[in-house]
Amino acid sequence: MERTWNIGPGDSRFRARKRREAGRKARQNMYDVAIVGAGIVGGMLARALSAYDLKVCVLEKENDVAMGATHANSGIVHAGYDAAEGSLKARLNVRGSRMMQTVAGELGVPYRRNGSLVIGFGEEDECVIRALYARGISNGVKELRILEGEEARTLEPALSDQVSCALYAPTAAIVCPYELAIAAIGNAMDNGVDLLLNFEVRHIDRKEGCYEISSGSADAGTVRARYVVNAAGVHADEIAQMAGDASIRIHPRRGEYLLLDRECGGLVSHTIFRTPSRKGKGILVTPTVDGNVLLGPTSVDMEDKEDYAVTEEGIARILQRAGESVRDIPLRKVITSFCGLRAVGDTGDFILNSPFPGFLNAAGIESPGLTASPAIAEYLVEMLAAQGLEMRRKEDYQPLRKPVYAFRHASMEEKNRMIQEDSAYGRVVCRCETVTEGEIIAAIRSNPPARSLDGIKRRTRAQMGRCQGGFCMPYIMEILARELGIGYEEVVKSGKGSEIAVCRTKDTEKGPEE
């Protein structure tokens, strides 16, 4: 696959052909490591491995990266007080939390250390909060404090008057989860990693000295690799079974969310948790790095690994529980709802093991998986090295990545310079988020390239404002069609079968009939 897109927009069909040829060539070669799954764990591992002189590929069944649990979660960098002392979750959470600011800075991804509050209502919650404090101290979390209700409201004035105490964790932070994964995989690709999309793994055969990974598609073919890392999220148990490991059990847990308009960004400044239960940390209220406010998630165990429906019951629960935590939430400012599925294992901990030589599992990566992801990548690299993978550092490894979009954050002087260098930055396509045509083109041409409307949304925030793409979608479709060398009616929202334009109703180029 191509690692950089430096060809003009007029050559889009040529680029598409070259990408297909490069993909076929890549699949004929032997890889040192094949990573199954292009979420945050797969992305962080790919980036970590790209620092070494290795041939690495990432296999993803969807048409873009960060399409599973990574695209729909809270974006919280947890401090590390929740996981049981001595567990992988505890160890890698605290390590990942300490790494995240540096990692986000290198990848050009927004990071904000806003701190978190676990709020309690009465004596029973106070007992839980004291236990969380003790656990956090044991886990090595710094600066933890227990606050009385009035102290908590001094920090966060919108808290309910019924809050009697809170656990304050100043080291907690927020990031954008899918932006972090996109940047990590893009940085890995810039450093030589291959990304194979629409590659749904159907068979894994253990051969002498390698694994053969086959997809159900004749176009995708077969990949051969000396080592395989299973980072397939809710499907990790299925991938393990293909390789002969029947020890993993994964079930999805539904988490529904509501997103408030950026107009409400000042509602809270900290991440507000309820005291946790067996199923998680409850309904939270948190700012996002992009200035919105997020409410959720619900926590419902499921069987269907593809059910992303938002339910009436879920919305009602979010509204009730969030309203108990924070006063005067402007519910009329909800601009969208969405659902994510967490990959819940049966061990209560991250599953990081190697059932066979050369095959590694990174399964059951539920919360705090996002926080722990750079530390999980370190852990997996150590496992690979221990199994004999030669780790020779590249001299030309580049850990830094420029952000794809920055126009709305630029000064007037910087905006004028960008427009002078490329006039496409002078055409605003998404009014709600002030996203320009230049940024959309850059997202299509940068690694990993956007190929859908949702891909553009995750990279640039175009269509994420209060109109949710009602104004800008047709213009973005025109740009995608032009850049990808496809017909307007072939542009998809999120993958095959999600075409927006069903057919052409009239030819606008001919004008009215005589």
Side-chain angles (χ1 to χ4, degrees):
M1 299 187 70
E2 284 190 348
R3 296 180 184 132
T4 56
W5 289 34
N6 296 317
I7 306 173
D11 300 302
S12 54
R13 292 183 185 277
F14 173 77
R15 287 201 308 274
R17 178 171 59 82
K18 293 295 289 182
R19 287 198 307 276
R20 290 193 295 271
E21 292 174 355
R24 284 193 292 270
K25 183 178 179 181
R27 289 187 285 272
Q28 294 170 359
N29 297 330
M30 172 75 79
Y31 287 95
D32 293 304
V33 183
I35 302 166
V36 182
I40 189 62
V41 172
M44 284 294 178
L45 176 59
R47 179 180 186 247
L49 291 174
S50 73
Y52 300 94
D53 189 15
L54 298 168
K55 188 169 178 59
V56 179
C57 69
V58 180
L59 310 178
E60 172 55 51
K61 73 183 184 71
E62 304 292 347
N63 82 323
D64 198 5
V65 305
M67 293 282 280
T70 302
H71 93 282
N73 70 61
S74 307
I76 310 301
V77 181
H78 294 282
Y81 50 74
D82 192 54
E85 183 181 359
S87 65
L88 281 172
K89 282 186 177 181
R91 170 185 164 189
L92 299 178
N93 181 347
V94 174
R95 171 64 178 156
S97 178
R98 292 172 181 169
M99 297 174 69
M100 189 62 76
Q101 186 170 6
T102 297
V103 169
E106 290 176 344
L107 293 175
V109 173
Y111 168 98
R112 191 192 337 160
R113 181 164 289 183
N114 65 320
S116 68
L117 292 166
V118 181
I119 57 174
F121 300 81
E123 292 183 7
E124 185 176 343
D125 285 351
E126 289 172 18
C127 290
V128 175
I129 283 173
R130 284 195 292 272
L132 289 175
Y133 173 83
R135 189 182 301 163
I137 296 301
S138 297
N139 289 346
V141 181
K142 306 295 184 183
E143 303 178 52
L144 283 177
R145 290 165 52 200
I146 295 179
L147 307 179
E148 298 294 332
E150 286 305 317
E151 290 181 282
R153 276 183 288 276
T154 299
L155 273 181
E156 197 61 75
L159 284 182
S160 166
D161 293 336
Q162 304 306 310
V163 171
S164 61
C165 63
L167 177 63
Y168 177 40
T171 60
I174 50 177
V175 294
C176 177
Y178 49 82
E179 187 176 351
L180 188 65
I182 289 167
I185 292 174
N187 184 234
M189 294 173 71
D190 292 341
N191 282 291
V193 170
D194 289 327
L195 172 65
L196 305 183
L197 297 171
N198 300 305
F199 192 109
E200 183 172 1
V201 176
R202 294 292 182 87
H203 303 283
I204 300 177
D205 294 321
R206 296 163 60 191
K207 304 287 186 179
E208 185 176 351
C210 77
Y211 289 83
E212 286 190 357
I213 309 168
S214 304
S215 119
S217 165
D219 292 336
T222 299
V223 163
R224 300 166 68 234
R226 295 167 55 213
Y227 296 84
V228 176
V229 180
N230 169 21
V234 295
H235 298 284
D237 53 346
E238 300 162 39
I239 298 299
Q241 288 169 14
M242 292 179 198
D245 176 20
S247 67
I248 295 176
R249 300 287 184 273
I250 301 290
H251 74 267
R253 182 169 289 164
R254 182 205 300 274
E256 297 152 278
Y257 293 89
L258 300 176
L259 187 70
L260 303 185
D261 188 87
R262 283 198 293 156
E263 180 182 313
C264 310
L267 178 67
V268 293
S269 58
H270 300 78
T271 298
I272 313 300
F273 294 109
R274 301 292 291 261
T275 49
S277 67
R278 180 183 62 82
K279 287 190 175 182
K281 303 172 182 69
I283 303 297
L284 60 81
V285 180
T286 184
T288 72
V289 288
D290 294 299
N292 301 87
V293 172
L294 190 65
L295 314 177
T298 55
S299 185
V300 180
D301 289 328
M302 307 282 292
E303 294 295 331
D304 188 347
K305 295 182 178 182
E306 303 296 332
D307 183 0
Y308 288 91
V310 176
T311 66
E312 183 178 349
E313 295 80 9
I315 291 174
R317 178 162 179 78
I318 292 171
L319 296 179
Q320 176 198 344
R321 299 291 279 178
E324 292 171 357
S325 300
V326 174
R327 292 182 286 104
D328 302 325
I329 296 175
L331 301 180
R332 287 180 173 272
K333 299 298 182 180
V334 173
I335 59 173
T336 192
S337 60
F338 58 92
C339 176
L341 298 179
R342 287 159 274 179
V344 181
D346 60 355
T347 67
D349 202 355
F350 296 152
I351 302 169
L352 303 175
N353 62 23
S354 179
F356 316 111
F359 187 88
L360 280 65
N361 287 311
I365 312 297
E366 56 177 323
S367 180
L370 173 68
T371 309
S373 59
I376 292 173
E378 273 189 343
Y379 191 94
L380 292 169
V381 168
E382 291 172 2
M383 289 179 66
L384 288 165
Q387 291 203 10
L389 180 62
E390 186 177 352
M391 312 293 284
R392 187 169 59 250
R393 191 96 178 169
K394 288 179 181 174
E395 294 183 2
D396 60 347
Y397 171 64
Q398 175 53 263
L400 304 181
R401 173 182 164 89
K402 290 180 64 176
V404 172
Y405 65 91
F407 188 83
R408 67 181 175 276
H409 300 303
S411 67
M412 190 60 68
E413 181 181 352
E414 290 169 333
K415 288 176 180 177
N416 287 332
R417 177 183 54 77
M418 293 166 72
I419 293 168
Q420 287 173 359
E421 293 176 358
D422 185 347
S423 62
Y425 282 90
R427 294 188 286 274
V428 174
V429 174
C430 175
R431 296 178 179 180
C432 297
E433 297 289 328
T434 318
V435 181
T436 67
E437 182 177 347
E439 294 165 277
I440 293 169
I441 293 172
I444 297 171
R445 298 183 187 178
S446 301
N447 286 324
R451 296 174 177 173
S452 65
L453 287 165
D454 282 357
I456 295 294
K457 178 190 291 186
R458 284 187 290 271
R459 288 159 177 80
T460 70
R461 288 191 59 83
Q463 312 162 79
M464 278 198 182
R466 64 184 60 174
C467 86
Q468 291 290 289
F471 173 80
C472 61
M473 184 189 295
Y475 300 95
I476 298 172
M477 291 175 66
E478 288 181 3
I479 297 169
L480 277 165
R482 182 187 73 215
E483 287 292 311
L484 299 179
I486 61 177
Y488 189 83
E489 57 271 30
E490 296 176 76
V491 174
V492 295
K493 181 181 185 297
S494 60
K496 187 176 181 181
S498 64
E499 291 80 5
I500 303 297
V502 177
C503 62
R504 185 180 293 274
T505 59
K506 60 183 178 181
D507 190 346
T508 57
E509 295 179 359
K510 292 182 179 180
E513 295 183 4
E514 295 295 333

